[in-house]
């Protein structure tokens, strides 16, 4: 794992090791504590990859806030913009019907989430140069089919960027083992700045040979 316990990632040697890993393994998996900037990092990386002409697929799981309070998470297809709810804290946000699973104070809307997830991942597997999944966590894993679809992508060797829950090693050891084939980065407040400044170079390492127009 890059950067956890390795200072602030200021060392150019560490940067070169990370870039070399990304270039050779064609995958990057980011984790860290809440509020560390993981989704910001992935969003900036996605934009840098688009600039390089990469066709992106997969999904993002942004939070929904009302009056400053987080009330839900959505699933948004990166390629099409199609969206649906992944989980809601307020049941009035959910359409009636469909399978549901409880996770803490959230209600995971299994069928609605899988409708968007399945299309996004299937389409990405067929047409995207690079697949992005933000994120792999307890709520996503509560959706039947997600684990299997992600495993198929990981086994295929297709270029992949993910954000994953910091306790995934315990939540799903087999899936974590598959992620270890790629480059794992621990992101926190100490190394966030240096890593975000490295986004352009990481995008180049990922897109080299993977993206037709790069």
């Amino acid at each position: 794992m890059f950067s956890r316990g390795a200072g602030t990632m200021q060392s150019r040697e560490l940067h070169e090791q990370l870039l070399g890993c990304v270039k050779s393994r064609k995958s990057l998996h980011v984790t860290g504590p809440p509020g560390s900037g993981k989704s910001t990092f992935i969003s900036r990386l996605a934009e840098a990859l688009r600039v390089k002409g990469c066709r992106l697929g997969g999904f993002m799981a942004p939070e929904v806030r009302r009056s400053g309070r987080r009330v839900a998470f959505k699933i948004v297809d990166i390629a099409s913009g199609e969206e649906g709810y992944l989980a809601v804290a307020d049941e009035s946000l959910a359409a009636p019907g469909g399978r549901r699973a409880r996770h803490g104070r959230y209600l995971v809307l299994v069928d609605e989430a899988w409708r968007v997830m399945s299309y996004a991942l299937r389409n990405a597997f067929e047409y995207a140069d690079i697949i992005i999944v933000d994120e792999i966590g307890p709520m996503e894993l509560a959706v039947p089919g997600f684990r299997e679809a992600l495993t198929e992508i990981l086994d295929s060797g297709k270029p992949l960027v993910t954000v994953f829950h910091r306790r995934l090693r315990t939540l799903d050891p087999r899936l974590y083992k598959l992620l270890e084939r790629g480059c794992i980065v621990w992101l926190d407040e100490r190394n966030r700045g240096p890593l975000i400044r490295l986004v352009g170079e990481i995008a180049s390492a990922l897109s080299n040979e993977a993206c037709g127009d790069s």
Side-chain angles (χ1 to χ4, degrees), residues 133-162:
V133 175
D134 176 20
E135 73 178 80
I136 308 166
M139 289 188 286
E140 290 82 6
L141 292 170
V143 179
F146 172 62
R147 181 184 283 101
E148 291 73 16
L150 184 60
T151 297
E152 183 179 1
I153 290 169
L154 286 162
D155 281 338
S156 75
K158 195 170 181 89
L160 177 66
V161 176
T162 73

Side-chain angles (χ1 to χ4, degrees), residues 66 69-72 87-94 102 105-107 109:
R66 292 187 177 176
R69 183 171 176 267
R70 189 170 65 194
V71 296
V88 297
D90 182 351
E91 197 165 347
S92 68
L93 294 171
R102 175 62 63 180
R105 73 184 186 92
Y106 289 97
L107 196 62
L109 307 184

Side-chain angles (χ1 to χ4, degrees), residues 170-182:
T170 302
L171 292 170
D172 195 321
R174 183 175 177 274
L175 193 54
Y176 183 84
K177 195 78 173 174
L178 292 175
L179 293 185
E180 285 188 309
R181 296 175 183 174

